[in-house]
Amino acid sequence: MENRVRLATAAILLLVFGSGALVGMALDGGAAAAPPAVAEDRPASEEAEQPERRGRIFDQVDLSAQQKTTIDSIVVFHRERMRTLNDEFREAYYPRFYGLIDETRTLIKEEMTEEQAATYDSLLAEFDRKNRSEEGRLPFRRRD
């Protein structure tokens, strides 16, 4: 029983680590895939998607106004690519990810008395209710 829980935990950790590695490779490998639009070429609807200026490292480099505009365009371009990749990831891996969560919960409940399992189910239901994403699943990562 303990081995199953350890195996499930290891699988979840590998999934999380692997997804991070995939996202990192996608960012590194796709940096030159298409030139980002400069601000003048951006549609008005994209102006509303101006990247937030919160603690970004490149903001500490004393950039000119033109550099900031170009970098903001790069960020907007790659943010959309990240959203697309995130959607693909969700479709490909979330069923397995949530399957592991369900399996882990079931194995944990098997070690409990009926009363403990009932309390555990109530606690899980409350946790799940508070932490549901817009898709009705527990969020794997906050979605912007």
Side-chain angles (χ1 to χ4, degrees):
M1 174 57 68
E2 188 175 324
N3 286 339
R4 283 180 160 175
V5 173
R6 286 184 183 179
L7 181 61
T9 302
I12 290 170
L13 287 173
L14 283 172
L15 180 64
V16 170
F17 178 75
S19 66
L22 287 172
V23 169
M25 288 187 306
L27 284 176
D28 287 343
V38 293
E40 297 82 39
D41 297 337
R42 264 193 255 157
S45 63
E46 245 182 72
E47 291 296 328
E49 260 195 74
Q50 191 71 321
E52 296 174 19
R53 294 211 170 266
R54 56 181 167 142
R56 301 181 309 183
I57 294 173
F58 55 79
D59 283 332
Q60 300 173 31
V61 185
D62 193 30
L63 299 168
S64 71
Q66 180 58 44
Q67 287 172 314
K68 288 178 184 177
T69 299
T70 302
I71 289 171
D72 284 347
S73 294
I74 292 168
V75 170
V76 168
F77 175 77
H78 286 282
R79 181 180 292 151
E80 185 56 38
R81 293 181 69 213
M82 286 299 296
R83 284 184 182 141
T84 300
L85 181 62
N86 189 34
D87 290 343
E88 291 172 13
F89 179 83
R90 286 173 183 259
E91 188 177 314
Y93 293 103
Y94 269 34
R96 289 175 43 202
F97 177 79
Y98 288 106
L100 284 172
I101 290 174
D102 292 342
E103 180 182 341
T104 302
R105 288 176 172 185
T106 298
L107 292 172
I108 289 170
K109 274 179 42 175
E110 288 176 0
E111 298 301 314
M112 297 178 178
T113 65
E114 284 186 35
E115 184 178 310
Q116 290 169 327
T119 302
Y120 181 66
D121 281 339
S122 295
L123 293 169
L124 286 176
E126 180 64 17
F127 174 84
D128 291 350
R129 186 189 62 73
K130 286 181 181 177
N131 294 290
R132 291 279 176 201
S133 68
E134 64 276 6
E135 293 92 13
R137 291 196 163 276
L138 293 175
F140 178 67
R141 186 171 193 184
R142 190 175 73 91
R143 186 176 185 160
D144 291 296

